[in-house]
Amino acid sequence: MINLKLIETNFDEFNKKLIAKKVPPQTLQTLLDAYNELKSKKTELENLQAVQNAKSKELGLAAREGKDVGALKSQLEENKQKIQSLSELVNEREQSLEAIAACVPNIIDDDVPIGANENENVCIKKVLDPRTFDFAPKQHFDLGEALGWLDFERGVKLSGSRFTAIRGLGAKLNMALINYMIEFNNSRGFELVNMPFLVRDQILYGTGQLPKFKDDLYHVDDEEQNLYLIPTSEVTATNLFSDEILRSEELPIKLTSYSHCFRKEAGSAGRDTRGMIRQHQFEKVELVAITRPEDSAKMLEEMISCASDLLASLGLPHRHMLLCSGDLGFSAAKTVDLEVWLPGQNQYREISSISNCRDFQARRAKIRFKDGKKNSLVHTLNGSSLAVGRTLIAVMENYQRKDGSIEIPHVLEKYM
């Protein structure tokens, strides 16, 4: 959530940055109006409470002096009723402000390029040159079906479209990738955490998936608990410290987590319908960091390097893309995507997205640290390291042989 106290003093700057993120121009004004109205009502309430305190003291003094207190009692009762009514109104205004603010995305960093969509993202680095084939490289679904690794038909039979069964050596390679990613991230100082795949709605609110992206989440129909399947372990790893005040010396906290991820892909009808590029259930190894505000920019670079070096160690050509304002996620202030080269498609495709959310998620999840004598909000960062299914695809396509077999990257051999 953006800092509401800064809206008044930074209104034009905030509005410009939100408009660059494709937010309607009137959104921030609506938020500011709601904020000012709440402040006004709170001032009225404080004034009434001050009157109540003063009249109560006056009543006590008059009673001790034996004076007639009937009129004072009537005034106190009338004022009490006003306080009660206004308290209810303030509570309603607070909930209304919260509902509006919860749907306003994070503002962008100053160095984020202004652009409308992914076509205006900026390539800032390329790592490794794509391999030159002496045959026409195939796409992963053709390779996987021929080898018996990817069983799309039976995946659909089990669960419907955008589900895949991975079998045999394909399943072993998939597990090898997961274990290698975890070990690689451990070597970079990221602690492994295993957490639930089901979370309460408050947890999804903390990282920004709720309320705005409710339609893309899988909700569990349970009378006793209001639970959702996680869309990414960013949700659990970040919220591990929700409603906590951390010690300054604990920071930074660096975590890596493996999970299944569940997304309805509500806005992707007709896109990547064949193969494993876009699934309702997929696996991911995630990086999450919780830092002091002054350290988050450096941590973003560290996380980008970790994911990029991981790809390079697998021999997978990729590029770093600085996302423009119109392609940034809801909670992100700045994002760098890593796009891996897929020779079967003859194009780069996203395989990792590393974001600095500044204090946006920390404000929603109430994650603070003891900063001297005061409590301050931390900064949170997250990034894929990597999307496992897409890494499997990239290995298959980049390491395919002319006869349709797949060479196993050297670093994965011991995990097979």
Side-chain angles (χ1 to χ4, degrees), residues 311-324:
L311 277 170
S313 73
L314 290 166
L316 296 174
H318 59 280
R319 63 184 184 181
H320 296 205
M321 301 295 292
L322 177 61
L323 298 198
C324 72

Side-chain angles (χ1 to χ4, degrees), residues 145-163:
E145 286 181 319
L147 291 168
W149 289 12
L150 305 180
D151 195 334
F152 300 108
E153 184 177 343
R154 290 186 176 89
V156 170
K157 179 179 70 173
L158 291 172
S159 306
S161 63
R162 297 190 189 275
F163 289 91

Side-chain angles (χ1 to χ4, degrees), residues 213-243:
F213 303 103
K214 185 175 182 179
D215 290 344
D216 209 30
L217 299 171
Y218 282 99
H219 183 246
V220 178
D221 188 7
D222 185 334
E223 293 180 358
E224 295 184 3
Q225 299 185 80
N226 187 29
L227 297 175
Y228 290 83
L229 287 163
I230 60 169
T232 166
S233 55
E234 164 204 344
V235 172
T236 43
T238 303
N239 280 286
L240 199 60
F241 304 97
S242 61
D243 287 310

